Amino acid sequence: MNPDAARLDLEAWRASFPDDPYRADRFLPALVHRSLDQARARSLDQAASAFARQVIAEVAPLAERTEHRLHLPELARHDRFGRVTEEVRFDPDYHGSGHVVWESGIVAHSGVPGRAFEQGTLLYLLSLEGETGHACPATCTIGLARALRRRAEPEVRDRFLPPLLELDYGRAERASQFLTEIQGGSDVGANAAVAEPAGDGTYRVTGEKWFCSVADAQQFLLTARVPGAPDGTKGLGCFVMPRFLDGAPNGFRIRRLKEKLGTRGLASAEIDLDGAVAWPIGPVEDGFKTAVGVVLNTSRWLTAVGGAGMMWRSYLEAAGFARHRRAFGRPIGDFPLVRRTLAGMKVQWLGALHAVWVLTGLEDAIDAGTAGDEEVALHRFLVNATKYEASWRATSVVRDAIEVLGGNGTIEEFSVLPRLYRDAMVYESWEGTHNVLVTQVLNDCRRLDLLSVLDGWLTGVLEAVSSPAGKEAAATALAALDDEIAGARRAVGDPGYGAAHFRTHLGRIMLVVEVASMLDSLEHDGPEELGPVADLLARLELESGYRPEADPAFTDRVDAALAGDLSG
Ligand SMILES: Cc1cc2nc3c(=O)[nH]c(=O)nc-3n(C[C@H](O)[C@H](O)[C@H](O)COP(=O)(O)OP(=O)(O)OC[C@H]3O[C@@H](n4cnc5c(N)ncnc54)[C@H](O)[C@@H]3O)c2cc1C
């Protein structure tokens, strides 16, 4: 085989990538149609297809440039006449892709309660390109918009909310959220920045913030300690602070922009605050509840969605490559080792997609105000557990895709994968590290017995599986569920080392959630291959003592899960 033939194969791989990944997909459209009424599904269907095309045709080349080390954001603290501006300057292409992202409606939907399906779908599609410098700003803006809509006094809401809902990127204001200080990101209760009441309903905030993404935002949401309030998280207020007051920076100074492993096109800074004027979002004593219950939970949900989107892209890249790349005279997708890796990627991606979709449904209902007590409890468990599970799996699935592409997988200009890998690493830590999320779920289970709610829901879903294709997977998942819930209960009851064991149980419970949510979709006219996919996930991860090498049907199971993705 000559070099030109190899080049043609690689070109064929690139050309095989769908112009419209939404329409080329079998899974997401099925979920959209299953979850929404006809009119809403049709409208989302059209919007998703149009946005998917734009992500590939327009956002991708712009993001490739703006994430490059030569085109990263820069700090321009003064204007040409020496006036303080605290401006962050971007390559113009950054704003080019911002137009596409904002004008998809991903943020503007926040004006209507209960549009989580639309927002989750659009973010999943955007994540085909990773962070792109805009997924985080969109997420932060959705979070602040929700907090203002749900919690703020009318005059605060009316002042700050409308500019966040603008569809036009050129006119829209973007938001950021500053909680982390150098003495603690996980330990938000260690916040030392203070907010002094000014006597007119506003506060003056002074202190430093250590991780400030979207440092170019026009509105900052921040936490700060209120004088006389208790120590820890109970003493934190939650505020909105405009970037400018009377045309000048509002009492803040950007110390520097951070040079990061991933999400590089996004400006993340260290910021000093010195008497910045801020407005409380709702009662100050409820500040931490607003910051976590509305804002962080929104970010955790969308970070989980983003992780699933990066897994999707990784699978598409790798499966397409395996069809076209040849080694030893055959497409590499013929090799059982490659097929096994791809099948492992596919089950993890689809597991994550279906789990985040369940979470998205709960987000939709809670935001619309229609969720019952059980849904609220389920959400409380899943919002932390799904962010944990989806974000750590995303990195490993991107890594698998890089392995399938071989040396080419490590090359920046060859594919999007190196960028996804870096972004996925950041997704693992922001909005809550793994341990912190696991500990949060553990504490919630202790206080609220969420395990009973989860057990009831999962058992109901799994026992209702009737399709022959899903029955074995359901039986395996039910058996694992019993063991893991019992183990998790032991960990909950152990105030010493329980947390260390709980992480293992939680990981496996989330796998049951993934299997159950795929089977539930299969029951409701989801694509038939969800049966073999759920079966393979259940066997590999949940069946005690399962040894693929001793299973004569293993090859058939892998082939069934891949469902022809490697042919043609
Ligand atoms: C690129 C990037 C952008 C960011 N942007 C923002 C932003 O815009 N706004 C913002 O507020 N924050 C932001 N963050 C900060 C992020 O939220 C924090 O990094 C994160 O919450 C972890 O805090 P930390 O870095 O201080 O880690 P630490 O709290 O120091 O944790 C270090 C390690 O200790 C573990 N640990 C801590 N407590 C426990 C415990 N109780 N049990 C077991 N293990 C524990 C953690 O899991 C972690 O592995 C950003 C981070 C990154 C990487």
Side-chain angles (χ1 to χ4, degrees), residues 78-380:
H78 300 98
D79 71 8
R80 69 175 73 221
F81 305 116
R83 277 187 291 259
V84 176
T85 56
E86 300 301 329
E87 188 189 348
V88 180
R89 279 200 196 132
F90 290 90
D91 185 283
D93 281 349
Y94 178 82
H95 297 302
S97 57
H99 274 283
V100 177
V101 173
W102 246 253
E103 286 154 26
S104 72
I106 187 168
V107 175
H109 278 299
S110 309
V112 181
R115 286 291 175 270
F117 281 119
E118 285 78 355
Q119 294 176 309
T121 297
L122 294 170
L123 197 106
Y124 180 70
L125 292 164
L126 179 61
S127 305
L128 285 168
E129 286 298 323
E131 163 62 28
T132 77
H134 291 288
C136 170
T139 298
C140 289
T141 311
I142 294 168
L144 177 56
R146 279 178 160 194
L148 290 167
R149 172 160 54 73
R150 292 198 212 157
R151 299 284 167 91
E153 295 295 329
E155 58 275 20
V156 175
R157 183 192 61 212
D158 295 346
R159 176 179 180 142
F160 292 102
L161 181 58
L164 297 179
L165 302 177
E166 282 280 353
L167 195 61
D168 178 349
Y169 176 81
R171 290 158 45 129
E173 296 196 351
R174 291 178 298 284
S176 50
Q177 53 195 45
F178 305 159
L179 283 78
T180 303
E181 299 179 10
I182 189 167
Q183 67 279 14
S186 309
D187 186 5
V188 180
N191 267 196
V194 289
E196 295 276 355
D200 60 356
T202 65
Y203 285 71
R204 302 287 179 274
V205 184
T206 300
E208 50 177 274
K209 291 286 173 182
W210 181 242
F211 265 110
C212 304
S213 293
V214 209
D216 52 305
Q218 291 82 11
Q219 295 186 27
F220 303 158
L221 173 142
L222 43 81
T223 47
R225 190 157 294 292
V226 184
D231 289 345
T233 52
K234 288 203 170 84
L236 295 178
C238 179
F239 302 89
V240 56
M241 168 195 153
R243 182 184 198 86
F244 297 112
L245 266 189
D246 304 323
N250 172 15
F252 77 96
R253 183 174 181 278
I254 299 180
R255 205 181 282 166
R256 60 180 162 180
L257 297 186
K258 287 181 184 289
E259 171 137 19
K260 296 168 287 177
L261 170 69
T263 69
R264 288 165 65 84
L266 165 78
S268 302
E270 293 156 27
I271 290 187
D272 292 315
L273 301 151
D274 184 9
V277 182
W279 280 254
I281 303 175
V284 275
E285 60 277 15
D286 290 343
F288 187 66
K289 280 193 198 150
T290 300
V292 174
V294 183
V295 180
L296 271 190
N297 278 353
T298 298
S299 299
R300 287 173 181 171
W301 155 53
L302 289 173
T303 301
V305 172
M310 288 198 255
M311 292 188 225
W312 178 25
R313 180 61 184 266
S314 301
Y315 181 72
L316 291 178
E317 290 293 302
F321 192 82
R323 277 200 305 273
H324 293 281
R325 176 64 169 176
R326 301 175 76 81
F328 303 96
R330 306 158 69 182
I332 62 166
D334 282 359
F335 297 119
L337 276 167
V338 174
R339 297 177 82 82
R340 182 175 171 167
T341 301
L342 289 169
M345 293 172 67
K346 186 170 180 181
V347 302
Q348 291 181 80
W349 152 48
L350 288 177
L353 168 64
H354 286 80
V356 299
W357 197 260
V358 171
L359 176 60
T360 301
L362 296 167
E363 284 284 337
D364 204 88
I366 288 172
D367 195 49
T370 58
D373 291 348
E374 191 164 321
E375 285 170 300
V376 170
L378 205 51
H379 173 268
R380 188 161 181 134

